Amino acid sequence: MIEKLLPLPAAASEHFGDTPDGEGLFPQERALLAGVGAGRRREFTTVRHCARLALKELGVPPAPLLPDEEGAPGWPTGIVGSMTHCRGYRAAVVARRTAVRALGLDAEPHRPLREGVVSAVARPEERASLAGLDGTVCWDRLLFSAKEAAFKAWSPGARAGGIRPRSLHDIRVTLHPADGTFRAEILPDHPEATCLEGRWLASGDLLLTAVSVPASPAPSLSAGTNV
């Protein structure tokens, strides 16, 4: 499914189940799971299994993928990537930094957000735009997912832009239902702010969103970058 959303320089792997708890983890990764519940251990293990399969496609040997102080995974030198997991789905995507400057990937269950969450993450103009859409897709959840993918691409490690949103409320997303794309821009408006273009997919019980920023040229508000 991910291949439909990302460019050819990227390699991806996805699983609809879990690998055995702790299988294939490096000692440094296993140490992070002390006292962690079984469900979280399975997520952690499987998504790193996906990441290492994707890295193998690029010819990159296995290595510990340790989270930074904000929880974003650390990648081998010269590699950018993104991981995601939700109930029944785990995935990772990677690319060489020479081809792709930043990646953001998010998966969500295809069901409406809980009451109150929309107002916490969506701006008034975004909520107004959702009201005019049909009921074929859980647009509120898709909006949330698009913001998550954009936030990951804007993370310090990705260095997709010179400024960074502090929360999902600082990202304004415009969904394009007709062609499965979206635009994400940082707020408040800034003359050097980055505008990212992404793609989305609704398939059964799953929503997927992805952002890919080519290595050059850098995206801008006046000229977005398509994935």
Side-chain angles (χ1 to χ4, degrees), residues 114-196:
R114 297 191 304 274
E115 185 176 354
V117 176
V118 175
S119 59
V121 301
R123 302 175 63 84
E125 64 269 30
E126 292 172 325
R127 295 197 296 272
S129 69
L130 294 181
L133 299 176
D134 62 37
T136 58
V137 173
C138 295
W139 300 107
D140 58 346
R141 179 77 69 165
L142 180 62
L143 179 76
F144 174 81
S145 182
K147 286 179 177 250
E148 286 280 351
F151 194 93
K152 291 177 181 180
W154 258 312
S155 70
R159 298 194 179 104
I163 54 178
R164 181 172 182 261
R166 293 164 296 181
S167 70
L168 297 186
H169 220 267
D170 292 334
I171 300 174
R172 179 167 59 202
V173 165
T174 303
L175 298 173
H176 302 301
D179 62 359
T181 65
F182 64 88
R183 166 170 284 208
E185 57 192 280
I186 196 169
L187 297 172
D189 291 334
H190 187 282
E192 297 180 358
T194 303
C195 182
L196 303 181

Side-chain angles (χ1 to χ4, degrees), residues 87 108-114 138 140-142 205 207:
R87 185 173 181 179
E108 297 288 333
H110 193 183
R111 57 174 180 262
L113 292 173
R114 297 191 304 274
C138 295
D140 58 346
R141 179 77 69 165
L142 180 62
D205 296 331
L207 292 174

Side-chain angles (χ1 to χ4, degrees), residues 2 6-7 10-13 50-51 54 75 79-84 91-95 103-105 210-211:
I2 305 175
L6 291 163
S13 177
C50 291
W75 298 98
I79 299 295
V80 296
S82 187
M83 301 180 187
T84 189
V93 59
V94 296
L103 288 166
L105 179 68
V211 169

